[in-house]
Amino acid sequence: RLREEGRGKSEEARSALREANGVVGIGSPRASLESNFALQKLVGIGRFSTGLSAFDQRGVELALKILREGPARTPSLAEVELADAVLVLGADPTNEAPMLDFAIRQAMRKAPLNIARKLNVPDWDANAIATALQGAKGKLYIAAPWAIKIAEIALETVSLAPDAIAGLASEIDHAVGQTAGQPGEGLAARIGADLMDARQPLVVTSISAGPEVMKAAANIAWALIGCGKDCWLSIIVPEANTMGVGMLGGLSVEEALSRVGNGEADTIVVL
């Protein structure tokens, strides 16, 4: 009986799509790539929406361009724990990517252990390690427009507007090139010097930070790679399959709905 009802509903849907005066399909970055692809095949490439807002769509397209064309690669969560200097630009890992937040915390917990190791303190002796570290923090630098929780373990944190974050990132990019000569003064110079001195630097940003911050973050990672450092770049996206629908391609939600509004379509299929 359930199968018969299912076939009946399927036939109703097919009939509605045949009679429609234009169809638009709205996918979802929370759904699987297979489901989004099936919807795209159903309605056609030109009528498929990724389910992303126009802002997120532009951000994902830029992230894909950066990762495809640039030399910096994205580390796994296990690899993030190996970083010994981290720069966060315009992102909030705690709320946007909790597992990345945890991995950064692990990395910053491990990074100062070299102080104790140089004193021949064994890793298992927690009390002796705490005494040796004297509250030392890992090299985590944060520039964000708002207060974020992971700032509690940061070496330095600044609250700046997105445009100012992009400006600071440009200064850091310049400082990376200058560090090999005579290091300058100021926050940007300190960050640039620590990234250059790091065994494994990591730059973290988010599409929520905007395109200018994303480009500036990528430039820092690329500058470090140009100086011989194997710098990683992590770009946070809002949903589990945001990158997947971004690679699949399609209209933004606003573009899809505008087609309905101007009469190009009268039927919407939502995933």
Side-chain angles (χ1 to χ4, degrees):
R1 184 176 179 179
L2 290 175
R3 288 183 179 178
E4 291 177 0
E5 290 180 359
R7 281 194 291 268
K9 295 293 183 181
S10 297
E11 187 54 43
E12 287 179 20
R14 292 192 190 96
S15 177
L17 292 175
R18 283 194 296 266
E19 296 172 5
N21 183 25
V23 180
V24 169
I26 299 180
S28 171
R30 297 184 179 183
S32 68
L33 190 60
E34 292 83 0
S35 298
N36 280 286
F37 178 73
L39 178 60
Q40 187 186 68
K41 292 291 287 184
L42 175 66
V43 300
I45 295 176
R47 299 174 181 176
F48 172 75
S49 167
T50 58
L52 298 170
S53 68
F55 178 84
D56 285 349
Q57 181 103 340
R58 288 192 296 270
V60 171
E61 289 172 355
L62 177 58
L64 289 170
K65 179 180 175 65
I66 288 171
L67 296 174
R68 283 169 173 162
E69 299 180 3
R73 74 176 184 88
T74 300
S76 67
L77 290 174
E79 287 176 320
V80 169
E81 295 187 16
L82 303 177
D84 56 342
V86 181
L87 172 62
V88 178
L89 294 171
D92 182 2
T94 308
N95 289 305
E96 294 185 277
M99 291 303 294
L100 177 61
D101 174 275
F102 178 73
I104 293 172
R105 288 174 183 272
Q106 289 292 90
M108 293 301 98
R109 181 185 66 82
K110 295 174 183 177
L113 291 179
N114 285 331
I115 297 173
R117 287 169 183 156
K118 289 178 181 178
L119 298 172
N120 295 320
V121 177
D123 289 353
W124 54 262
D125 195 338
N127 290 332
I129 288 175
T131 301
L133 295 185
Q134 293 293 307
K137 291 184 175 182
K139 295 177 181 179
L140 171 61
Y141 293 94
I142 297 173
W146 51 81
I148 60 177
K149 187 170 177 57
I150 199 173
E152 64 194 14
I153 65 166
L155 189 60
E156 290 194 61
T157 303
V158 289
S159 295
L160 300 170
D163 289 346
I165 293 174
L168 174 63
S170 296
E171 293 178 19
I172 297 169
D173 180 16
H174 179 71
V176 166
Q178 297 297 314
T179 299
Q182 185 175 357
E185 297 180 356
L187 177 61
R190 290 196 298 275
I191 295 173
D194 279 346
L195 290 173
M196 279 295 294
D197 290 341
R199 175 184 47 79
Q200 182 58 73
L202 166 66
V203 179
V204 178
T205 189
S206 167
I207 67 169
S208 65
E212 295 307 314
V213 175
M214 291 171 62
K215 291 176 185 176
N219 286 336
I220 293 172
W222 296 348
L224 287 163
I225 291 173
C227 292
K229 308 298 291 187
D230 180 23
C231 183
W232 292 331
L233 175 64
S234 182
I235 303 175
I236 299 173
V237 293
E239 304 292 348
N241 201 28
T242 299
M243 283 294 194
V245 292
M247 288 188 284
L248 197 57
L251 308 170
S252 67
V253 170
E254 291 89 338
E255 289 174 319
L257 294 179
S258 70
R259 293 199 173 190
V260 177
N262 62 25
E264 292 182 43
D266 63 356
T267 301
I268 302 176
V269 180
V270 180
L271 181 60

